[in-house]
Amino acid sequence: MIFDSDRHEALVKADWSESLALAQIQHIVRDTQDRFDSLQFWPVHPHDTSASDLADTGKTALYHGACGVIWAMHYLQGCGAVSLDKDYLPHLEGIRARNQEWLGTVYDEAAPSYLMGDTPFRLLELGRSADHAAPARTLHGLLASNLDHPHRDLMWGSPGTMLGAWFLHTHTGDAQWADVFRQTAAKLWSQLLWSDEFQCHYWTQDMYGRQSSYLDGVHGFVATASVLIKGRDLLEPQAWRGWEDCIVNTMEKTASVENGLTNWRAHLLTPSDEVPRLLMQICHGAPGFVVCLSALPSKSLDSLLLGAGEAIWQAGPLVKGANLCHGTAGNGYAFLKLFERTGDAIWLQRARAFAMHAVAQSDADRAAYGQGNYALWTGDLGLAIFLWDCVSGKPQFPTLDVFFAPG
C-alpha cells in the first residue's frame, strides 16, 4: 500500500465556510492570549510531552514552543487576520534564555538551529529593529558557524540556516546574506553522496546518535531541496542547473508509484532496525514532498506531484490531529500548493475540505484535554495560519515560505 490506512480517518462532511474559518482563527488567538503566563509562557500539551514533563516550564523553540507561538500571532496580525491585545515580542529575550537552558549541554552546537535554536529569535529581533546592524552581526556569526553541522537538515543543520540567509536577503537586500546562501549551497554540494543502488545523490544526517539518510520534508533531502529552489536566483545559472538535475533525479529514483498514486519513504537506506514504512505527512511522506517541490521550475516531476496529491486525498485526514508537522493542516497545504502550481480549483476545494476537518479535530482535542495546543508546527497556531491561507488561496507555509510578517 502507498499509505497506511490505519493512520487516517474518514473526512467529515462539512461544506467550506469562510466565516467559520475566520472565527476559528480568532478563537485560537484569543485563547492563546488568555493562556499566556510571563513565567511559564504557555501550557504544554500532553501530545507534545511525556507525563513526567508536564510540570516543566513551557516549551520555547520556534518549532513547538513559545517562540513559534509569538511568531505566529504577530504574523497573523501582520496579515490582517487578527488584532492582538498586547505586543509579545519583548518577551522573546527571556524565552531565548530559557531555550538556551533547555538545550543545555548541546547549546554551543545547537545555537544556530533554525527550528530549535537562537536563529529565529535573532531573526525576529532584526525584523522589529530599526537598526539591523547588531542583530545582523549576531546572525552572521550563527549562520556561518553552522556550515559544517553534521545534521545536514532543516531543523538543526546548515539547510535551516541557509533558509535563514534567504529570508534575510529577501527582507534586507543585503549581499552578505546571498554570500552565506551560496557558501552553504557549495558546502552541501560537496557533501552529496552517490548511491549505486538507487542511482541518485543523497545526504546523510548524523543526528540523535545515529547516521540516517532521510528524504523527507524536515530532516531530509527534499527539505534541503526546497531551500535551494527558493534561493535559485542567488546561484550561478550553471550551479542551479546542476542542482535542478540532481533534485529531479533523486526524486524520480526514490518515488514509490502504485496505481497512479505517489509517495516517498522516510529514508533512502532504511536502517537495519526499522521496518520500511510509507507515511503520509509533512515530516515523512508525500505531503512534505509536494510542499517542498511545488516551486520547482522544471515540470519533470509534475506527474509525480499530482499522483502525490491524489494519494493524500485518498488517504484522508490524519488521525494524529490538526497540526502542520504530522496532521491534517499540514497535509492540506499540499493541496494549496498544487492549486498554486496548476490553477486547478479541485485542489483548493480539497484543501478547504481538509480545513473543515481540521477545525473539527482541533475542537474535539480542546474538549478532550481542556486546553488548546499552543505551538506552531505541532499545534493550533499552525492550523490558524493554514485556515487563513485557505481563505486567500495563497499558500505561505509558516517559517518555510515566509518568516518576516507583512506590514
Side-chain angles (χ1 to χ4, degrees), residues 72-122:
M73 290 201 296
H74 282 274
Y75 174 75
L76 284 165
Q77 179 168 257
C79 291
V82 299
S83 179
L84 301 179
D85 294 339
K86 63 181 292 185
D87 180 2
Y88 293 88
L89 294 171
H91 294 278
L92 280 171
E93 188 56 28
I95 294 168
R96 189 190 69 82
R98 192 75 62 80
N99 196 62
Q100 180 175 346
E101 294 174 12
W102 171 68
L103 289 169
T105 58
V106 302
Y107 173 72
D108 286 344
E109 73 171 90
S113 165
Y114 176 58
L115 289 179
M116 295 296 198
D118 280 2
T119 291
F121 291 92
R122 299 308 188 188

Side-chain angles (χ1 to χ4, degrees), residues 8-346:
H8 300 267
E9 61 189 24
L11 186 70
V12 298
K13 294 181 179 180
D15 292 336
W16 164 250
S17 169
E18 181 175 318
S19 61
L20 176 59
L22 294 173
Q24 187 76 357
I25 295 168
Q26 296 292 332
H27 175 63
I28 289 169
V29 172
R30 280 197 305 271
D31 176 59
T32 302
Q33 293 194 111
D34 290 344
R35 297 301 297 269
F36 177 72
D37 180 276
S38 60
L39 297 177
Q40 305 298 324
F41 315 127
W42 281 278
V44 178
H45 196 280
H47 289 330
D48 282 347
T49 188
S50 65
S52 62
D53 292 333
L54 288 177
D56 290 350
T57 56
K59 291 184 180 293
T60 48
L62 179 70
Y63 172 74
H64 62 356
C67 179
V69 174
I70 291 174
W71 179 89
M73 290 201 296
H74 282 274
Y75 174 75
L76 284 165
Q77 179 168 257
C79 291
V82 299
S83 179
L84 301 179
D85 294 339
K86 63 181 292 185
D87 180 2
Y88 293 88
L89 294 171
H91 294 278
L92 280 171
E93 188 56 28
I95 294 168
R96 189 190 69 82
R98 192 75 62 80
N99 196 62
Q100 180 175 346
E101 294 174 12
W102 171 68
L103 289 169
T105 58
V106 302
Y107 173 72
D108 286 344
E109 73 171 90
S113 165
Y114 176 58
L115 289 179
M116 295 296 198
D118 280 2
T119 291
F121 291 92
R122 299 308 188 188
L123 287 168
L124 282 164
E125 180 185 358
L126 182 143
R128 68 190 294 253
S129 175
D131 181 6
H132 291 174
R137 284 193 297 271
T138 302
L139 275 162
H140 193 276
L142 285 169
L143 273 55
S145 72
N146 217 35
L147 203 61
D148 292 305
H149 198 288
H151 284 24
R152 288 181 284 273
D153 80 325
L154 190 72
M155 181 173 280
W156 301 97
S158 63
T161 41
M162 182 168 62
L163 179 60
W166 181 74
F167 283 133
L168 284 161
H169 183 265
T170 301
H171 184 65
T172 68
D174 192 329
Q176 69 173 318
W177 306 122
D179 290 340
V180 172
F181 186 96
R182 285 188 286 266
Q183 290 164 12
T184 310
K187 174 63 73 170
L188 286 164
W189 182 267
S190 74
Q191 294 170 332
L192 279 166
L193 301 176
W194 176 259
S195 168
D196 286 331
E197 179 183 358
F198 294 97
Q199 292 292 295
C200 68
H201 287 95
Y202 69 104
W203 287 285
T204 57
Q205 302 83 29
D206 300 328
M207 58 195 306
Y208 308 146
R210 66 190 302 176
Q211 188 174 86
S212 303
S213 57
Y214 284 115
L215 296 170
D216 64 65
V218 175
H219 295 304
F221 183 96
V222 78
T224 301
S226 74
V227 185
L228 292 159
I229 292 166
K230 286 179 176 63
R232 62 189 181 275
D233 290 342
L234 301 181
L235 302 172
E236 292 295 327
Q238 184 176 356
W240 167 244
R241 285 194 295 272
W243 276 118
E244 187 168 45
D245 290 345
C246 173
I247 291 166
V248 168
N249 182 62
T250 296
M251 296 297 92
E252 288 179 336
K253 293 296 175 58
T254 57
S256 297
V257 180
E258 182 179 301
N259 298 322
L261 307 181
T262 311
N263 202 354
W264 284 266
R265 59 192 177 280
H267 302 268
L268 179 69
L269 309 170
T270 303
S272 58
D273 59 345
E274 288 190 19
V275 176
R277 291 191 299 170
L278 287 171
L279 303 179
M280 188 65 75
Q281 53 201 46
I282 287 291
C283 52
H284 295 300
F289 285 75
V290 174
V291 166
C292 290
L293 296 170
S294 64
L296 184 72
S298 170
K299 303 300 182 183
S300 301
L301 298 178
D302 278 16
S303 63
L304 292 177
L305 296 179
L306 291 170
E310 291 295 340
I312 298 163
W313 179 249
Q314 288 194 25
L318 282 154
V319 171
K320 293 184 76 171
N323 68 83
L324 293 177
C325 188
H326 38 262
T328 301
N331 285 16
Y333 259 111
F335 299 141
L336 286 179
K337 291 290 189 177
L338 287 171
F339 172 61
E340 182 180 54
R341 188 170 178 88
T342 68
D344 188 339
I346 188 64

